[in-house]
Amino acid sequence: MVFGCEDLWVSLPTTGEVLKGVSLVVNKGEIVALLGPNGSGKTTLILALAGLLNARSGKVTLEGVELRLQLPEARRRIGVLFQDPDDQLFNPTVMDELMFTLDQLGLPPQDKERRVKEVASLLNIEHILHRPVYSLSFGEKRRVALASILVYDPEYLLLDEPTANIDPGNLNIMLKVVCSLRKAGKGILLATQAVDLVNRLASRVYVMNEGRIIWSGGPEIPEEVLVRAGLKTGQVACQ
Ligand SMILES: Nc1ncnc2c1ncn2[C@@H]1O[C@H](COP(=O)(O)OP(=O)(O)O)[C@@H](O)[C@H]1O
Ligand SMILES: [Mg+2]
C-alpha cells in the first residue's frame, strides 16, 4: 500500500533540470511532509507524481506498478490539490464543481447526493453550494478545491501548500480535515514551507532544496538542515 517515486529527474523548458533524482514513498494512513523553500521543486514533484508531468528518467510507482502503465484509471486513486485553487476550479458553481467528477463515475443519484453532503459538511461549504465560484473568497475556494477531490474518495492525496495564504479559521478547518483523512487511512503528501506545521501534522518529512531531497526523517528536523534549505530566518528586525 505505497505510492512514490524512484530517482526521478524532470526538466522543464527554459529552467532545465528541476528534479534531480528524487525518491520518496507515501504509505497509506500517514501524513508525509514535503518541506522546501520557494522554487525547490515541490510543485513539479507533485505534478510528476500525479502523472501530469513526464519525467526524463526514473519512475513513479503506485503499489508496485509504474503509474504510467495504470493511467488513466489510476487518476481516480490519486487526488491533487493545486497550489492555486483557480487552477483547479473551472465549473460555474460550487455544486457543478462537486458534481463534475461524480457524474463521470456514473454513480446512482442518491450516492452522489450523499457524497456531496458528507464532503460539504466536512469542509463547511454547505452554505455556498449554489454560489458561483468566482464570487468566493480565497479560503472558500481552497475548501471547495479540496472538496472537489474528496467527493471521489481517492486513496492518496497530494496537497500542494494547502495551508498557505489562508486565515486561522480556514487553517483550522484544513488541519482538521487532513487529520481526519489520515485517520480514514489515506496516504497524504503535504507540500509546505511551514516548518511549524510539520511538527503538528506529519509523521515523516522530506526536506527538499534545489530539486533534491537533502534530508528525510521524523518530524524533528535538525536546525542545520533548516538553515541549509533556507527554511529558517536569521535574526532580522527593524528597530
Ligand atoms: N512551467 C514551468 N516552466 C519552466 N520552469 C518552471 C515551471 N514551473 C516551475 N518552474 C521552475 O522550476 C523550479 C521549481 O519550481 P516549483 O516546482 O514550482 O517549486 P516550489 O513548488 O517548491 O516553489 C523553479 O526554478 C521554477 O522557476
Ligand atoms: Mg509550489
Side-chain angles (χ1 to χ4, degrees):
M1 294 306 187
V2 55
F3 176 43
C5 59
E6 270 168 54
D7 198 21
L8 208 62
W9 291 75
V10 171
S11 315
L12 293 177
T14 69
T15 309
E17 218 81 83
V18 174
L19 298 185
K20 301 167 187 164
V22 173
S23 303
L24 61 71
V25 289
V26 181
N27 295 291
K28 280 202 177 161
E30 69 170 349
I31 301 173
V32 177
L34 178 63
L35 185 65
N38 287 336
S40 54
K42 303 182 296 298
T43 296
T44 307
L45 178 55
I46 281 185
L47 296 177
L49 285 170
L52 298 170
L53 246 185
N54 287 327
R56 187 167 66 65
S57 73
K59 56 185 180 179
V60 175
T61 53
L62 176 62
E63 290 168 6
V65 181
E66 262 196 80
L67 180 67
R68 63 186 178 85
L69 305 175
Q70 304 184 58
L71 293 176
E73 297 77 18
R75 288 211 193 284
R76 74 173 57 162
R77 302 181 63 188
I78 305 166
V80 187
L81 180 73
F82 288 97
Q83 190 165 350
D84 182 350
D86 284 326
D87 289 340
Q88 188 124 30
L89 304 172
F90 58 94
N91 283 287
T93 71
V94 174
M95 184 58 100
D96 297 332
E97 202 66 65
L98 302 189
M99 278 297 176
F100 181 80
T101 24
L102 287 177
D103 284 342
Q104 292 177 345
L105 293 180
L107 298 171
Q110 63 272 31
D111 282 7
K112 289 197 274 192
E113 272 171 38
R114 180 181 50 78
R115 287 204 189 186
V116 167
K117 247 187 164 164
E118 279 172 13
V119 169
S121 153
L122 187 69
L123 282 152
N124 189 23
I125 56 171
E126 295 119 312
H127 59 294
I128 54 171
L129 282 176
H130 299 288
R131 288 259 303 273
V133 170
Y134 73 80
S135 73
L136 305 178
S137 71
F138 187 84
E140 288 167 340
K141 279 187 188 170
R142 169 84 38 81
R143 279 162 28 222
V144 171
L146 183 54
S148 74
I149 300 158
L150 297 189
V151 281
Y152 66 87
D153 200 25
E155 295 155 55
Y156 294 94
L157 292 152
L158 306 174
L159 309 178
D160 199 353
E161 305 215 25
T163 60
N165 305 319
I166 52 177
D167 59 41
N170 274 299
L171 178 62
N172 266 336
I173 295 174
M174 296 304 278
L175 296 180
K176 269 195 216 156
V177 171
V178 170
C179 284
S180 71
L181 290 169
R182 185 193 67 73
K183 285 183 190 147
K186 310 292 181 194
I188 301 166
L189 182 69
L190 187 147
T192 184
Q193 37 183 300
V195 179
D196 60 322
L197 208 71
V198 169
N199 270 319
R200 293 165 68 181
L201 286 179
S203 54
R204 288 195 301 118
V205 188
Y206 293 94
V207 177
M208 198 169 184
N209 196 26
E210 297 181 353
R212 291 193 166 86
I213 304 291
I214 62 160
W215 184 88
S216 65
E220 302 296 331
I221 307 154
E223 177 134 342
E224 166 276 306
V225 172
L226 295 177
V227 171
R228 188 146 55 97
L231 287 160
K232 198 171 163 46
T233 49
Q235 298 280 325
V236 182
C238 187
Q239 284 151 351

